[in-house]
Amino acid sequence: YGDDYTRKYFEEIRSNTYGMIKPDGYLHMGKIIDMVYNVGGFTITKLKLCKMSKEIAAQFYGEHKGKPFYDFLLNYITEDYIVGMELVKKDAIAEWRKFIGPTNVEKAKQEAPNSVRAIFGSPTKNTVHGSDCAESVKREIDIVFNQIKHVPMCNNCACVVIKPHAIKEGNAGKIIDMILSAGFEISSMQMFYL
């Protein structure tokens, strides 16, 4: 940037965060992604469907080691696919955490009934994750987008491409939901730029 004022201005209006749909949100990922675009007003700049190994999960949730819920958390996050997303919006970290609601699902249902956790969470699983600070954003994006190498299982499958205009128009979530609703399984998904 040409000067500090310009840099600060663009950092504020285009700040990023890391959001993740946890394994229990797999069947609802289309609906959640649709909410991210069309209710939350976020732009998804990176997206990746993958599985976390226990080692990667331990690194990702390292700050919780020694807490009573740590083992449950590692088992939960490694039981199936996650969807990692880099999200962009003004004041993205705070806006995403507000959008997903309180960590406790019952509290989310009372205090933020339209939040992602209130709508899709269960008493023991809260469906989504949100980074708590800029340092966590950088670390979590690096783990999911650079350290996890996902190799899809390609057996009796097809490749689907969601074209840029559909993403720009906010229809990616609807398309994903239609695929899942038709009984297909999504074993790999990644957003990239050519």
Side-chain angles (χ1 to χ4, degrees):
Y1 299 104
D3 56 40
D4 286 336
Y5 173 81
T6 304
R7 179 188 50 77
K8 186 176 178 187
Y9 172 78
F10 281 108
E11 284 176 354
E12 285 178 7
I13 64 167
R14 296 279 301 169
S15 68
N16 71 334
T17 192
Y18 174 75
M20 178 171 64
I21 302 171
K22 296 177 182 178
D24 61 304
Y26 174 84
L27 291 176
H28 304 293
M29 70 175 142
K31 291 176 182 73
I32 294 169
I33 291 168
D34 189 55
M35 285 179 69
V36 169
Y37 278 113
N38 297 310
V39 177
F42 293 89
T43 299
I44 300 174
T45 56
K46 292 183 183 177
L47 183 141
K48 182 178 186 179
L49 178 115
C50 56
K51 287 188 178 183
M52 274 195 191
S53 67
K54 291 272 188 192
E55 296 77 23
I56 293 287
Q59 181 184 351
F60 191 89
Y61 285 117
E63 72 271 13
H64 297 303
K65 190 170 186 173
K67 294 182 180 173
F69 57 85
Y70 181 72
D71 288 335
F72 170 81
L73 187 58
L74 290 190
N75 289 329
Y76 167 36
I77 209 67
T78 58
E79 70 187 12
D80 208 345
Y81 294 105
I82 59 106
V83 179
M85 301 174 287
E86 180 183 44
L87 305 166
V88 174
K89 183 177 181 175
K90 183 176 181 176
D91 199 16
I93 295 170
E95 287 296 313
W96 176 249
R97 290 177 69 83
K98 180 179 164 188
F99 181 69
I100 63 177
T103 306
N104 179 290
V105 174
E106 292 308 313
K107 188 175 181 181
K109 288 180 184 211
Q110 292 174 3
E111 296 178 8
N114 295 321
S115 67
V116 176
R117 288 177 171 151
I119 295 168
F120 298 105
S122 70
T124 59
K125 297 178 178 179
N126 64 12
T127 308
V128 287
H129 165 85
S131 299
D132 61 351
C133 65
E135 293 77 26
S136 293
V137 171
K138 288 179 186 174
R139 183 178 61 78
E140 293 168 357
I141 284 174
D142 178 62
I143 290 170
V144 172
F145 292 100
N146 297 324
Q147 295 181 37
I148 296 176
K149 304 300 181 212
H150 178 67
V151 179
M153 303 268 297
C154 296
N155 184 11
N156 193 26
C157 46
C159 177
V160 175
V161 176
I162 300 176
K163 294 185 178 180
H165 73 277
I167 293 169
K168 188 175 180 179
E169 293 166 4
N171 292 321
K174 290 175 185 71
I175 293 167
I176 292 165
D177 192 49
M178 289 171 66
I179 292 167
L180 291 170
S181 295
F184 293 97
E185 178 182 331
I186 299 174
S187 62
S188 186
M189 180 169 54
Q190 188 157 359
M191 180 183 286
F192 59 91
Y193 299 91
L194 298 176

